Amino acid sequence: MEFWIWLSSALGPGSPRINDIIACFETAEYFYKEKKRGFRGIGFLSDADKQKLMASSLSDALRLKEKTLDKGYQILTPDQKEYPDRLRNIYAMPAVLYVDGSLERIDENVAIALVGARKCSDYGRRVADDLGFCLGRMGAVVITGMARGIDGAAHAAALRAGGSTIAVLGCGLDVLYPPEHAALRKETPVRGAVVSEFALGERPEGFHFPIRNRLMSALSLGVVVVEGQRGSGALITANYALEQGKDVFAVPGNVFSSLSKGPFQLLRAGAIPVSCANDILEEYRYRYTAKINWKMQKDPGGLPPEKVERNTKAAAFKEDVVPIREKRPLPEDTEENIREIYEVLSEIPIHVDEIAARIQKNPAEVLTALSELEIMGFVSANAGKRFSIC
């Protein structure tokens, strides 16, 4: 464990060299042995990297380890089974995670990151509150940076709903920031975890937050941008999500507000529009069926749940029998498995996982067939891995 702390202390959180080191040496302890040779012959290290590694002390890492464990915090490193799989293959994977609480089963859960402006509007705060509460009530893990504004509103609402939350900090676990979130900081480890890549005592520097943001997106299945200007931290998180292959959602806002510019930019680029928690969780209905409590969803229009269900089924039936366009017949020599998938499709976009669930096939196999249909000109790919007939 101390070797990973030494490595993280030397190169700093967010270093892309961590991936290279693990690929070549597997563990930080094996890599540490290269210190005797001054890390000569390791081409992916710059001279500056080598100087930092030579100057870093293992005894300092041991002291930090003991201090952290004495405070009751966990230390997770890539050689531990408790280390989240969602972090293992990202760019600049963290060498060390300091955790207050538990990240147990995070890889199995529907985790959604809610991000947005610190100086948010009343509208943005209301939306963040509603999304955080409903996601928490329906069983999703809500991830935020516990910052002021959107983050704080969503985080508090999820806890109020009795949900599980994860806060990813841009400072050490023992540093309270912002100070007005003392209650959130105290309650979060009871329901989830407070996580940081930064060692104890590290202050919240400005350059820490983009480093922090990549972990928020990596731990989640999708990132929801509630409000944010162009180039804001919220959009940085969304860009990380895209690089990591995660879903990106955006909340439409007031077109006259600069805080709506970020979400609007994402929507133009194909982000999934969000008006309620259902819009988000619908993307994971078939992959994480047992993890979402649909009985706890917010009832639209104040209708009782049984009436909402009847109305939804009726609407779906009408959509199935009143097509917007006719489905063209496939060529006679088309393979049977492709025909089976094509039969499920209509002009209404449907998620690849729902298609796979209907015909009981592997999603990867379905996606391959859909790609062939798209090349043939019979299928259109829509945002969020949804497909429809052309």
Side-chain angles (χ1 to χ4, degrees), residues 85-117:
D85 286 338
R86 290 179 183 174
L87 299 181
R88 291 189 185 277
N89 297 313
I90 66 169
Y91 178 75
M93 67 179 290
V96 178
L97 279 182
Y98 301 103
V99 182
D100 185 10
S102 174
L103 287 177
E104 187 179 6
R105 296 192 178 90
I106 183 60
D107 295 315
E108 305 168 15
N109 287 323
V110 178
I112 303 297
L114 291 175
V115 298

Side-chain angles (χ1 to χ4, degrees), residues 252-271:
N254 183 347
V255 296
F256 298 108
S257 170
S258 61
L259 294 173
S260 300
K261 300 300 183 185
F264 181 69
Q265 180 180 329
L266 293 173
L267 289 168
R268 288 188 64 183

Side-chain angles (χ1 to χ4, degrees), residues 109-111 134-141 163-164 281 291-293 296:
N109 287 323
V110 178
C134 293
L135 286 170
R137 187 170 66 165
M138 294 173 72
V141 179
S164 178
L281 295 180
K291 297 293 183 179
I292 303 173
N293 186 355
M296 297 300 291

Side-chain angles (χ1 to χ4, degrees), residues 327-372:
K327 183 183 290 187
R328 292 180 292 146
L330 293 173
E332 293 184 3
D333 59 348
T334 303
E335 295 179 9
E336 187 58 36
N337 67 312
I338 294 179
R339 287 184 177 277
E340 186 180 8
I341 291 167
Y342 187 62
E343 284 301 313
V344 177
L345 299 174
S346 70
E347 72 285 346
I348 302 168
I350 181 173
H351 197 281
V352 63
D353 290 329
E354 183 173 352
I355 300 170
R358 287 190 185 185
I359 62 177
Q360 297 184 337
K361 288 186 180 294
N362 187 293
E365 181 184 349
V366 172
L367 195 57
T368 300
L370 289 167
S371 298
E372 291 186 36

Side-chain angles (χ1 to χ4, degrees), residues 110 135 138 140 277-285 292 294:
V110 178
L135 286 170
M138 294 173 72
N278 289 20
D279 294 337
I280 302 165
L281 295 180
E282 188 64 40
E283 297 297 317
Y284 311 105
R285 177 187 286 269
I292 303 173
W294 290 102

Side-chain angles (χ1 to χ4, degrees), residues 42 53 188 199 245 315 349 374:
I42 303 178
L53 289 162
T188 298
E374 187 179 5

